């Protein structure tokens, strides 16, 4: 019996056991489950909105022609590679830092309340009202008056730091993409005599003008997620992406601007999203720090470096695949672009649960509630596994019948059907 107990005990300590710990409660509507869903559902809708808009872009461009579809596919691969390298580490650590700092604010407020009650208990306040005292200090808090709140806006040093870093990175990305557009496309396999070169360069150059807005909007989404507010980013993203779809149709089909119109529509929508988020954020957070010393650049760079290495490794695979597809010709690249956008749209659904887990874990660690840390990790991983299996079933069933929404070219459609099993089977692992 002791041997059997020892065996089960050792299994319980293995990493794989996280998928089975409390598995019966995976859909339980308890406090933890509700916290996860309240963050994850709006976050998932926010993350899904942009890929869905990109899918509509792809469908619109696909009906212009396979050359344009392939050209935009290469350009988006280059833009996403550069964007994710510059922004993903920043967004991830911003969410954690904001959640940690925000969770500590109530502690400071409670200390003031405690000191105020202590002053009343000892009759010190009545002495002051009668003019018999000049004020007493209890635990560092003045009894002279209740702590006055000068502003309802929070002071979060990490928010100011992230906004400064995001602005600088956005400008650098715009300049680098404009200057190196031709060499990057050449590296991706778009040679000088390729019919894809001109539309690809046009799209990449114009879309790069929206890089500052993209990076700032993602940073602000990371800040809101740290506050466990995923509804504000959802509102802003839906408004921006709706504008993108409307402008896409107007510029591509009404004004006949082709891929140029698609790029301009995307840039306008990104600045609209950034404006909405900035307007909302400035009402909650004081983004102007008291001094330069209040910014926490060192903390961001130290934590972001390891995440940067991880992101480069992940995105390099996608960029390499796009490069190989482009070298096989515009038919292969067009099919790859459709498959990639479908994969991204479905894969990002799991990120909503990841965001919920990240925000809750950061707060739990700051409060030293390690029981909640363990429970949150198990519940989020179990939900992601269920979601991945569900996506596998849906994509394998639906995609063979919906491919014509993206293109009418029979050769492209044939290659898309080849890619469908890979899109579907990778969902559980990705989730």
């Amino acid at each position: 019996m002791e041997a059997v107990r020892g065996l089960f005990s050792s299994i319980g300590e293995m990493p794989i056991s996280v998928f089975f710990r409390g598995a019966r409660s995976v859909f339980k509507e308890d406090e933890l489950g509700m916290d996860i869903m309240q963050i994850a559902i709006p976050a998932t809708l926010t993350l899904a909105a942009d890929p869905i808009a990109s899918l509509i872009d792809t469908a619109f461009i696909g009906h212009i022609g396979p050359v344009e579809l392939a050209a935009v596919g290469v350009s988006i691969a280059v833009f996403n590679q550069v964007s994710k390298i510059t922004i993903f580490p920043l967004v991830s650590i911003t969410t954690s830092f904001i959640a940690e700092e925000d969770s500590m604010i109530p502690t400071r407020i409670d200390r003031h309340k405690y000191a105020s009650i202590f002053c009343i208990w000892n009759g010190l306040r009545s002495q002051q009202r009668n003019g018999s005292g000049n004020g007493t200090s209890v635990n560092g808090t003045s009894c002279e008056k209740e702590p006055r709140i000068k502003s309802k806006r929070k002071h979060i040093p990490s928010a100011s730091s992230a906004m400064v870093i995001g602005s600088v990175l956005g400008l650098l990305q715009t300049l680098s993409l404009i200057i190196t557009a031709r060499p990057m496309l050449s590296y991706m396999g778009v040679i000088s005599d390729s019919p894809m070169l001109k539309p690809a360069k046009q799209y990449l150059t114009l879309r790069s003008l929206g890089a500052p807005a993209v990076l700032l909007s993602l940073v602000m989404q990371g800040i809101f997620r740290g506050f466990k507010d995923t509804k504000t980013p959802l509102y802003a993203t839906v408004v921006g992406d709706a504008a993108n779809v409307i402008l896409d149709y107007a510029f591509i089909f009404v004004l006949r601007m082709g891929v140029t119109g698609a790029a301009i529509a995307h840039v306008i929508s990104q600045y609209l999203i950034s404006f909405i988020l900035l307007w909302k954020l400035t009402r909650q957070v004081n983004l102007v720090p008291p001094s330069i010393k209040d910014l926490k650049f060192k903390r961001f760079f130290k934590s972001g470096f390891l995440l940067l290495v991880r992101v480069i490794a992940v995105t390099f695979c996608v960029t390499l695949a796009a490069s190989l597809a482009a070298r096989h010709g515009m038919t292969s690249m067009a099919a790859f672009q459709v498959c990639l956008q479908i994969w991204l749209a479905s894969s990002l659904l799991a990120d909503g649960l990841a965001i919920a887990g990240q925000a809750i874990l950061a707060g739990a660690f700051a409060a030293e509630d390690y029981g909640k840390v363990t429970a949150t990790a198990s519940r989020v991983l179990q939900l992601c596994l269920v979601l991945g299996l569900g996506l596998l079933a849906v994509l394998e069933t639906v995609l063979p019948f919906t491919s014509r929404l993206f293109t009418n070219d029979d050769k492209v459609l044939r290659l898309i059907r080849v890619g469908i099993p890979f899109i579907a089977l990778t969902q559980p692992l990705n989730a």
Side-chain angles (χ1 to χ4, degrees):
M1 287 296 293
E2 290 298 327
V4 173
R5 287 175 186 170
L7 175 63
F8 279 102
S9 177
S10 63
I11 291 174
E13 294 174 359
M14 295 174 64
I16 195 68
S17 67
V18 73
F19 290 103
F20 305 101
R21 189 180 296 122
R24 292 182 179 180
S25 304
V26 63
F27 296 118
K28 189 176 180 180
E29 296 181 3
D30 54 5
E31 183 180 353
L32 177 59
M34 295 305 295
D35 280 349
I36 292 172
M37 288 300 105
Q38 286 174 3
I39 300 172
I41 292 175
T44 300
L45 294 174
T46 303
L47 291 166
D50 194 50
I52 289 172
S54 294
L55 279 174
I56 296 172
D57 280 355
T58 302
F60 285 162
I61 296 167
H63 285 85
I64 300 175
V67 173
E68 288 78 7
L69 179 59
V72 170
V74 176
S75 299
I76 290 175
V78 172
F79 185 88
N80 287 344
Q81 171 72 20
V82 177
S83 295
K84 287 181 179 179
I85 288 174
T86 52
I87 196 61
F88 187 85
L90 178 60
V91 174
S92 297
I93 57 181
T94 296
T95 298
S96 296
F97 290 167
I98 296 295
E100 180 184 341
E101 291 181 20
D102 188 48
S103 67
M104 299 304 292
I105 290 176
T107 303
R108 294 196 290 269
I109 294 173
D110 288 343
R111 189 164 60 246
H112 285 302
K113 288 181 179 178
Y114 168 77
S116 183
I117 293 169
F118 194 84
C119 291
I120 296 171
W121 179 263
N122 286 281
L124 297 174
R125 178 166 294 175
S126 61
Q127 293 177 15
Q128 292 173 351
R129 287 172 181 165
N130 295 328
S132 59
N134 294 322
T136 306
S137 178
V138 177
N139 290 345
T141 301
S142 175
C143 296
E144 187 175 349
K145 293 181 180 179
E146 287 185 2
R148 290 182 299 176
I149 301 175
K150 295 181 180 179
S151 174
K152 293 182 180 179
R153 295 186 297 171
K154 301 175 182 178
H155 173 58
I156 309 286
S158 291
S160 304
S161 306
M163 292 290 288
V164 172
I165 297 171
S167 301
V168 173
L169 289 176
L171 292 172
L172 290 176
Q173 182 178 331
T174 296
L175 290 173
S176 64
L177 285 175
I178 291 175
I179 295 170
T180 64
R182 181 75 177 263
M184 282 189 176
L185 291 171
S186 177
Y187 176 77
M188 292 291 290
V190 183
I191 56 179
S192 57
D193 60 346
S194 172
M196 293 188 289
L197 180 60
K198 184 178 179 180
K201 187 179 178 181
Q202 285 179 342
Y203 187 88
L204 181 58
T205 304
L206 287 170
R207 184 159 176 173
S208 67
L209 298 175
V214 172
L215 268 68
L216 277 176
S217 67
L218 289 173
V219 167
M220 287 186 282
Q221 288 181 40
I223 293 171
F224 280 111
R225 291 167 189 168
F227 294 144
K228 298 182 181 179
D229 175 8
T230 50
K231 293 181 181 178
T232 300
L234 172 61
Y235 165 76
T237 303
V238 168
V239 171
D241 286 341
N244 184 23
V245 172
I246 294 169
L247 291 173
D248 256 342
Y249 183 83
F251 290 162
I252 294 173
F253 297 112
V254 178
L255 300 179
R256 304 288 181 181
M257 295 174 67
V259 296
T260 300
I264 294 172
H266 190 86
V267 170
I268 293 173
S269 70
Q270 291 302 318
Y271 277 100
L272 177 60
I273 293 171
S274 293
F275 175 79
I276 294 171
L277 288 173
L278 185 61
W279 173 58
K280 291 286 187 180
L281 186 61
T282 52
R283 299 179 69 181
Q284 298 183 36
V285 180
N286 184 9
L287 294 175
V288 180
S291 67
I292 298 296
K293 295 179 180 179
D294 200 50
L295 298 173
K296 299 186 175 182
F297 295 138
K298 185 177 180 180
R299 188 186 187 196
F300 272 84
F301 293 135
K302 182 180 178 180
S303 300
F305 178 74
L306 292 175
L307 278 172
L308 177 63
V309 175
R310 171 190 174 275
V311 171
I312 291 174
V314 172
T315 55
F316 176 76
C317 295
V318 177
T319 306
L320 177 62
S323 175
L324 293 173
R327 293 171 195 275
H328 278 280
M330 63 182 185
T331 301
S332 296
M333 186 61 223
F336 176 82
Q337 167 64 4
V338 173
C339 290
L340 178 63
Q341 291 302 321
I342 294 171
W343 185 85
L344 287 173
S346 52
S347 298
L348 284 173
L349 294 175
D351 278 5
L353 289 168
I355 289 166
Q358 186 181 11
I360 295 171
L361 284 171
F365 269 114
E368 297 184 357
D369 187 353
Y370 301 120
K372 188 174 184 179
V373 169
T374 304
T376 301
S378 294
R379 185 76 66 89
V380 169
L381 285 170
Q382 290 161 5
L383 288 168
C384 283
L385 180 60
V386 172
L387 175 63
L389 292 172
L391 286 171
L392 187 159
V394 170
L395 291 172
E396 189 66 45
T397 304
V398 173
L399 280 183
F401 305 102
T402 56
S403 300
R404 283 195 175 274
L405 292 173
F406 303 98
T407 181
N408 292 320
D409 190 290
D410 290 333
K411 293 180 179 179
V412 176
L413 286 169
R414 193 179 308 117
L415 288 178
I416 290 174
R417 293 190 190 100
V418 173
I420 288 174
F422 297 95
I423 298 172
L425 291 171
T426 53
Q427 293 305 320
L429 289 173
N430 187 59

